[in-house]
Amino acid sequence: MNEQCPLEGSGEEPPQPSDPLAPTPPPCSCRSCWGSRWRDMTSRAPAVTAKMASTRVMSSKMSSVFHRTLRVYTKAHSGVRRASTSSLRTQMPWMVTVLCLFLLLPLNFLPVSAEYVREFEVSEGLAVGTRIGFIGRHNSRQPEAPPPPYLIVPVPGSAVDSDLIIEEDSGEIKTKVVLDRELRSSYTLVAIPQSDKENIRVVIKVRDENDNVPTFPSAVMNIEFPENTPRDVKRTLAPARDMDLGIFNTQRYQIVSGNINNAFRLSSHRERDSVLYLDLQINGFLDRETTAFYSLLIEAWDGGTPPLKGSMAVNITIQDVNDNQPIFNQSRYFATVPENATIGTSVLQVLATDTDAGDNGKITYSINRRQSDRENMFQIDPKSGVISVNRPLDFETKDVHELVVVARDNGDQPLETTAFVSIRVIDVNDNQPTINLIFLSDDATPKISEDAQPGEFVARISVNDPDSKEEYANVSVTLEGGDGHFDLTTQDSIIYLMVVSRPLDRELKPNYTLVVFATDQGNPPLHASRKFDLQVTDMNDNAPEFDQTVYHANVLEVADPGTSVFQLSALDRDEGNNSVITYSIRDTPETHSNWFQIDSRTGLITTRTHVDCETEPMPQITVIATDAGSPPLSSSATVKVTIRDVNDNEPIFDQSFYNVSVQESEAVANCILK
């Protein structure tokens, strides 16, 4: 039944407190006024209790009064009523007065009693609803705390309400969300028991788990090193950062791939901010000409189990320095030029290369006039290296010109190298060349073994032109004949070597007729030739051959030992000892080959012993023909001998005495013995 407020309709306003945290005392003790005041007090209770919990010292007497009042306040707020309505209505004014008194006191003068401390730990990342613990549950390391129920007062800004579920009746603490230590590492609250005991300060620490990967600030980093950078020089790289703590933080770095020849290594150090900083060090000697670019894949590992890792690609460009001088493709060049060559005639081109890049690799050519060609008989193109005639030449005045050619790069501190060029001036042509031919066989005769492989030397050919003061000048050499089995090769157009170009077979062609032609460069050109016959010597590359694989022969059973049975022969296409054939019989007792023998030179087969048709009517002989080559080659043929039977065996009874019985009634013509 609803109770009517006596002041309702009177127009009087209840007094308002000056402190906004203090609740307004009710003007009367009616249920309606107390209900509105309770609602006001309930909304202010967290601020009141937080204000009280923050004060460290309180006299025991005032603390007792305050806690007694607050318990009644809380019980009334939660609906727990032990007194009658009239007694509660009587006690409410002084309870509110005490609460208001405490709220109106300055914060510095509020006394607060001593408090219990409860600490809990919970791992981050656990599922929603995970139990953390009970506020009032006793353990051996902490004093026994007052039992529930409690009034829970979160410390401002601690996110207790949004992240945790706290049962006031039981004191159980559970997770409301999945906790993340990197977002919030702890929660603090005050639990005020309804019993006449001290407050409980609850601290919940979030335990770190390895849930964060070491992360580099960027996936790719580009740096440069000059190729002359000394060993052990460091370059700081962007470190990987891991939001986890301790062993779960970044622990080490590793180059996974791209470290060609182990050119780099990593070093690291940890500073006060717990970041493991990373340096890249030169581990060897850099050479842009060998490796101009590196792409390192670097991984950062934490100390978890299993460890987590992050990666970053480091692209390293090696900058060029002028550390390589130009290099000629030859240390000495040789060239010829006719004495009637006009000015500007190209003689030869020198070539140098520089493995450096940019201007460091650009080459300029010149002739060292202090050491050579002071008469300026030749000139050189500074870019192409082409040497040409600069003044009229005279063979009779000077037939050889030696030049010192310089190749210089365009670096800030240029490097250079030199090469020697020998230019021979050719006289006018009035003599044909002469050919000098030396055969490279063991007896210096024109022959070559048929097993000679392609590339094997046959002869050495040199040519002399009397118009020149030296041998081999300005003459070309060609070879004709040989059906493509021979060719000429030269390294310098001075000495020519006749070589085998295709396999030879003496059995197909034992001799070749070849002609060497030498042609000078005169105008008109003059020719010389040299003709010779080349013999192909034999190698034992053919085994003896029978004209049949199987032969048939006959012999009488009564033939005496030494009786001719059959003669066969094999042919060997080789010559000399390689074609000399020896015959033999393979020992095969199962075919009675031991009944026969063969003449090793003629191949005539004769009987060795008496033969017996009843033992073996058709014995077989395997004849082997072996040549005298080294190593020897052989082949075989089969001779099947038919032994003709003769009446050389009389009949023989199987027993010497037979005994038989016959009945007197036996019919005529019946068999009585067999």
Side-chain angles (χ1 to χ4, degrees):
M1 181 174 180
N2 294 333
E3 184 179 353
Q4 182 71 26
C5 177
L7 297 179
E8 186 175 352
S10 64
E12 296 183 12
E13 293 292 334
Q16 301 295 325
S18 59
D19 189 346
L21 294 178
T24 304
C28 71
S29 59
C30 71
R31 181 176 297 179
S32 176
C33 291
W34 274 109
S36 62
R37 295 302 176 264
W38 266 134
R39 288 189 295 272
D40 176 65
M41 291 165 66
T42 302
S43 64
R44 300 169 187 267
V48 174
T49 53
K51 192 170 185 181
M52 291 165 56
S54 62
T55 306
R56 293 295 181 185
V57 181
M58 172 183 271
S59 66
S60 59
K61 186 174 182 179
M62 295 189 70
S63 174
S64 176
V65 173
F66 177 77
H67 279 285
R68 190 178 300 111
T69 305
L70 187 58
R71 281 199 306 275
V72 177
Y73 170 85
T74 305
K75 288 179 180 179
H77 175 58
S78 60
V80 179
R81 298 175 59 191
R82 298 183 181 273
S84 63
T85 303
S86 59
S87 63
L88 180 62
R89 186 181 304 166
T90 304
Q91 295 174 9
M92 281 297 177
W94 71 263
M95 288 191 294
V96 175
T97 302
V98 172
L99 283 172
C100 292
L101 176 62
F102 275 89
L103 292 174
L104 292 174
L105 286 174
L107 189 61
N108 292 339
F109 296 98
L110 276 176
V112 177
S113 66
E115 59 183 11
Y116 292 94
V117 177
R118 282 288 181 265
E119 292 186 354
F120 297 91
E121 282 193 1
V122 60
S123 296
E124 62 175 330
L126 297 180
V128 174
T130 298
R131 176 184 294 169
I132 299 174
F134 291 87
I135 296 175
R137 184 162 294 178
H138 173 68
N139 60 56
S140 59
R141 294 177 299 173
Q142 297 178 343
E144 185 175 357
Y150 305 104
L151 178 63
I152 303 302
V153 184
V155 171
S158 66
V160 171
D161 291 335
S162 61
D163 294 356
L164 302 177
I165 300 173
I166 304 176
E167 299 292 342
E168 295 184 350
D169 292 338
S170 64
E172 182 183 11
I173 306 173
K174 296 188 292 186
T175 58
K176 190 176 184 179
V177 297
V178 177
L179 303 184
D180 188 349
R181 188 206 63 81
E182 287 72 39
L183 297 179
R184 183 172 296 277
S185 60
S186 65
Y187 299 85
T188 305
L189 58 95
V190 175
I192 302 175
Q194 293 187 12
S195 61
D196 189 9
K197 296 278 180 87
E198 288 81 1
N199 300 339
I200 304 172
R201 182 165 61 89
V202 180
V203 178
I204 302 168
K205 296 181 180 179
V206 182
R207 188 185 303 114
D208 188 32
E209 297 292 338
N210 192 25
D211 58 345
N212 289 280
V213 175
T215 304
F216 289 94
S218 61
V220 180
M221 186 174 182
N222 298 310
I223 60 176
E224 295 179 343
F225 279 105
E227 63 176 324
N228 61 349
T229 304
R231 188 173 182 174
D232 297 329
V233 168
K234 293 183 179 181
R235 184 69 57 85
T236 299
L237 303 181
R241 297 179 183 268
D242 194 326
M243 297 176 65
D244 294 324
L245 300 177
I247 192 65
F248 297 146
N249 203 329
T250 304
Q251 298 299 317
R252 62 186 176 93
Y253 296 98
Q254 179 181 358
I255 299 176
V256 178
S257 63
N259 194 11
I260 301 172
N261 295 327
N262 203 26
F264 301 92
R265 69 177 187 271
L266 300 177
S267 62
S268 59
H269 64 281
R270 196 178 303 277
E271 296 190 359
R272 293 182 179 179
D273 58 0
S274 298
V275 176
L276 188 64
Y277 287 89
L278 175 62
D279 294 316
L280 181 68
Q281 288 186 261
I282 305 298
N283 193 48
F285 297 99
L286 302 180
D287 187 0
R288 187 204 65 83
E289 290 70 38
T290 301
T291 306
F293 181 80
Y294 297 84
S295 182
L296 306 183
L297 180 61
I298 297 178
E299 289 182 346
W301 296 74
D302 63 21
T305 304
L308 303 179
K309 66 178 179 178
S311 62
M312 173 178 66
V314 180
N315 296 326
I316 305 170
T317 300
I318 307 302
Q319 298 171 317
D320 185 54
V321 296
N322 192 22
D323 59 344
N324 291 281
Q325 65 182 15
I327 298 176
F328 283 98
N329 61 347
Q330 298 176 217
S331 60
R332 189 174 187 89
Y333 295 85
F334 297 91
T336 57
V337 60
E339 64 176 333
N340 59 353
T342 60
I343 295 175
T345 300
S346 296
V347 179
L348 83 159
Q349 182 179 17
V350 297
L351 177 63
T353 56
D354 193 323
T355 55
D356 291 323
D359 288 341
N360 296 331
K362 293 182 179 179
I363 298 175
T364 301
Y365 299 96
S366 62
I367 297 174
N368 188 332
R369 302 295 181 182
R370 292 183 179 181
Q371 297 180 349
S372 63
D373 196 28
R374 296 182 179 181
E375 300 83 7
N376 289 327
M377 302 301 294
F378 300 91
Q379 62 182 359
I380 187 170
D381 188 289
K383 292 184 178 180
S384 66
V386 174
I387 298 174
S388 58
V389 177
N390 190 46
R391 288 187 177 181
L393 303 174
D394 186 1
F395 175 83
E396 287 72 27
T397 302
K398 191 173 185 179
D399 60 338
V400 177
H401 295 266
E402 299 286 349
L403 307 182
V404 177
V405 178
V406 179
R408 179 184 290 106
D409 62 30
N410 292 334
D412 293 336
Q413 296 181 348
L415 303 176
E416 65 179 35
T417 188
T418 59
F420 296 96
V421 179
S422 180
I423 302 175
R424 186 172 304 280
V425 179
I426 300 174
D427 195 12
V428 293
N429 191 35
D430 56 355
N431 293 282
Q432 68 178 15
T434 60
I435 299 174
N436 183 23
L437 186 60
I438 299 175
F439 295 100
L440 302 179
S441 61
D442 52 359
D443 57 358
T445 59
K447 63 181 180 181
I448 185 69
S449 175
E450 68 172 327
D451 69 339
Q453 300 300 312
E456 189 167 328
F457 299 139
V458 179
R460 176 183 181 274
I461 302 171
S462 60
V463 180
N464 177 41
D465 189 347
D467 288 326
S468 174
K469 292 183 179 180
E470 292 188 8
E471 240 181 340
Y472 324 124
N474 226 10
V475 177
S476 61
V477 179
T478 58
L479 178 68
E480 291 185 1
D483 301 329
H485 288 273
F486 303 95
D487 201 357
L488 292 179
T489 181
T490 180
Q491 296 292 331
D492 50 14
S493 298
I494 295 176
I495 301 297
Y496 289 82
L497 293 172
M498 178 180 169
V499 297
V500 177
S501 60
R502 290 168 56 185
L504 303 174
D505 190 348
R506 186 204 63 82
E507 288 71 35
L508 295 178
K509 191 166 185 177
N511 291 284
Y512 292 91
T513 298
L514 301 105
V515 181
V516 176
F517 290 95
T519 304
D520 64 22
Q521 302 298 319
N523 189 14
L526 300 178
H527 307 277
S529 63
R530 175 82 176 270
K531 183 178 181 180
F532 61 94
D533 291 326
L534 182 66
Q535 177 190 1
V536 180
T537 60
D538 184 53
M539 288 296 295
N540 190 26
D541 57 347
N542 292 279
E545 296 177 357
F546 290 97
D547 56 357
Q548 295 177 219
T549 58
V550 179
Y551 296 89
H552 296 274
N554 299 289
V555 65
L556 290 174
E557 183 179 18
V558 294
D560 294 327
T563 301
S564 296
V565 178
F566 188 77
Q567 185 175 14
L568 72 171
S569 63
L571 176 66
D572 194 321
R573 295 187 297 161
D574 293 322
E575 64 177 4
N577 287 336
N578 297 331
S579 63
V580 176
I581 299 174
T582 301
Y583 301 95
S584 62
I585 294 177
R586 183 177 297 163
D587 185 18
T588 55
E590 67 276 6
T591 62
H592 299 282
S593 62
N594 55 348
W595 289 354
F596 304 93
Q597 60 188 1
I598 190 170
D599 189 292
S600 61
R601 292 186 299 104
T602 64
L604 176 63
I605 300 173
T606 60
T607 58
R608 182 195 297 269
T609 62
H610 289 285
V611 297
D612 186 2
C613 178
E614 286 71 28
T615 302
E616 175 60 63
M618 185 178 288
Q620 291 187 11
I621 306 170
T622 300
V623 178
I624 300 174
T626 305
D627 63 24
S630 179
L633 302 178
S634 63
S635 61
S636 64
T638 302
V639 179
K640 294 183 178 181
V641 181
T642 301
I643 300 177
R644 295 182 180 179
D645 189 28
V646 295
N647 191 19
D648 58 345
N649 293 287
E650 61 183 5
I652 299 175
F653 285 101
D654 56 354
Q655 10 183 134
S656 61
F657 178 78
Y658 294 90
N659 186 17
V660 65
S661 298
V662 62
Q663 295 182 3
E664 62 179 340
S665 60
E666 188 73 31
V668 177
N670 283 353
C671 179
I672 60 172
L673 179 65
K674 185 176 180 180

